[in-house]
Amino acid sequence: MNLVAQPLSQEAFAAFGEVIEVGGAHVLINAGKCRRYTDLMQADIVDGAVGLSLFEAEIRPMPHHCDLLERHPLGNQCFMPMGNSSYLVIVAPDQGGVPGTPVAFLAQGHQGVNIARNTWHGVLCPISGTGLFTVLDRIGTGANLEEHVLAQPVTITV
Amino acid sequence: MNLVAQPLSQEAFAAFGEVIEVGGAHVLINAGKCRRYTDLMQADIVDGAVGLSLFEAEIRPMPHHCDLLERHPLGNQCFMPMGNSSYLVIVAPDQGGVPGTPVAFLAQGHQGVNIARNTWHGVLCPISGTGLFTVLDRIGTGANLEEHVLAQPVTITV
């Protein structure tokens, strides 16, 4: 199955989580030299707390072959690029406990993405930049990873 | 008063908070293609919750003139650059409720900084890159900002 990654936008991504980017309501701080966009990430953590981690990921060659999706039943997972990395965001609706047809987005280096709790998604997949990301997700014990090997792998181009 | 910004390191910055960067303990995830450095930020929030915001700051010319420090009595404040911005981190110890002698650090674009609760600091001051930052700080009501105009402004070079 071939997919072309579509531009990431809040409207297109709404069923899977949030796009975190500038452009909406803000306040001017620091004598007018900084715009603050406040409280943009909806946390949804079960039995744990949100914490900050760093992910240092290899830059992936294109086209990208995806044969595995995963989801986290106990919390959302938010990725914020640090080194101008554009990256693929591969998600799928749930169909009776397994992923339905995947959808691919191309996120730019100024865009973060907050994948909603229990949403099927591919692993972090930077295609440019440094591959370093700030990640906000659940810190806690217990099983928070479910993986599903795709019967039909997906090839993604941009 | 003139200050030369010193390289940001965990050792040099320890009295003021945390440097958030790769290099310590990690686990390999995503079939070995990603290093995860987990739970790097110590949250210290009074009467509120930590939330994610975006700061879009002007790039400042150098040398930088600093005439104001501020602190947040109700929470830590963590800055993670998104667009490879290097930035000044100006901090000062407290001396009886006012800032003591300031210290300046130069953070690189792959380094985040978590300024400890109630620590005197200058405003966000990127000197290269895009000026876009992911910020984790307290979301809540109540007075969480104290400002202090410096009797003796500081000029910072790198």
Side-chain angles (χ1 to χ4, degrees):
Chain A
M1 181 186 179
N2 295 309
L3 279 180
V4 177
Q6 56 183 284
L8 184 68
S9 70
Q10 184 57 65
E11 296 70 23
F13 193 69
F16 307 105
E18 301 170 304
V19 178
I20 295 178
E21 61 187 340
V22 300
H26 62 274
V27 293
L28 280 174
I29 61 173
N30 302 349
K33 294 192 182 302
C34 185
R35 295 180 181 197
R36 179 183 173 122
Y37 301 80
T38 295
D39 201 13
L40 302 180
M41 181 190 77
Q42 187 172 333
D44 181 12
I45 304 290
V46 177
D47 190 24
V50 67
L52 183 152
S53 299
L54 290 177
F55 280 24
E56 192 178 26
E58 286 183 20
I59 305 300
R60 302 295 184 103
M62 293 295 293
H64 176 67
H65 304 288
C66 173
D67 57 9
L68 178 81
L69 295 182
E70 61 183 42
R71 61 178 178 176
H72 307 295
L74 301 182
N76 64 296
Q77 192 172 41
C78 178
F79 298 90
M80 306 296 297
M82 289 184 69
N84 275 334
S85 287
S86 58
Y87 56 108
L88 297 179
V89 181
I90 306 160
V91 286
D94 184 67
Q95 287 190 340
V98 298
T101 304
V103 185
F105 297 93
L106 176 61
Q108 301 298 333
H110 64 277
Q111 294 180 307
V113 66
N114 183 24
I115 297 172
R117 180 169 67 83
N118 220 25
T119 297
W120 292 108
H121 62 279
V123 301
L124 181 59
C125 187
I127 65 171
S128 71
T130 68
L132 183 64
F133 287 71
T134 302
V135 177
L136 290 306
D137 67 0
R138 176 182 179 270
I139 307 297
T141 57
N144 190 27
L145 174 63
E146 184 179 354
E147 293 181 322
H148 183 88
V149 175
L150 296 175
Q152 190 183 19
V154 180
T155 297
I156 295 143
T157 54
V158 293
Chain B
M1 180 185 179
N2 295 309
L3 280 180
V4 177
Q6 56 183 285
L8 184 68
S9 70
Q10 185 57 66
E11 297 70 23
F13 193 69
F16 307 104
E18 301 170 304
V19 178
I20 295 178
E21 60 187 341
V22 300
H26 62 272
V27 293
L28 281 175
I29 61 173
N30 301 351
K33 295 192 181 301
C34 184
R35 296 180 180 197
R36 180 185 171 120
Y37 301 80
T38 295
D39 202 12
L40 301 180
M41 181 191 76
Q42 187 171 335
D44 181 11
I45 303 290
V46 178
D47 190 23
V50 67
L52 183 153
S53 300
L54 290 177
F55 281 23
E56 192 178 28
E58 287 183 18
I59 305 300
R60 301 296 184 103
M62 292 295 292
H64 177 66
H65 304 289
C66 172
D67 57 8
L68 178 82
L69 295 182
E70 62 182 42
R71 62 178 178 176
H72 307 296
L74 301 182
N76 64 297
Q77 192 172 42
C78 178
F79 297 91
M80 305 298 295
M82 289 184 69
N84 273 334
S85 287
S86 59
Y87 56 108
L88 298 178
V89 182
I90 305 160
V91 287
D94 184 68
Q95 287 190 339
V98 298
T101 303
V103 185
F105 297 92
L106 177 60
Q108 301 297 333
H110 64 277
Q111 295 180 305
V113 65
N114 183 23
I115 297 173
R117 181 169 67 83
N118 221 24
T119 297
W120 292 109
H121 63 279
V123 301
L124 180 60
C125 187
I127 65 172
S128 70
T130 68
L132 184 64
F133 287 72
T134 301
V135 177
L136 289 308
D137 67 359
R138 176 182 178 272
I139 306 296
T141 56
N144 190 27
L145 174 63
E146 185 179 353
E147 294 181 321
H148 183 89
V149 175
L150 296 175
Q152 191 183 18
V154 180
T155 297
I156 295 142
T157 54
V158 292

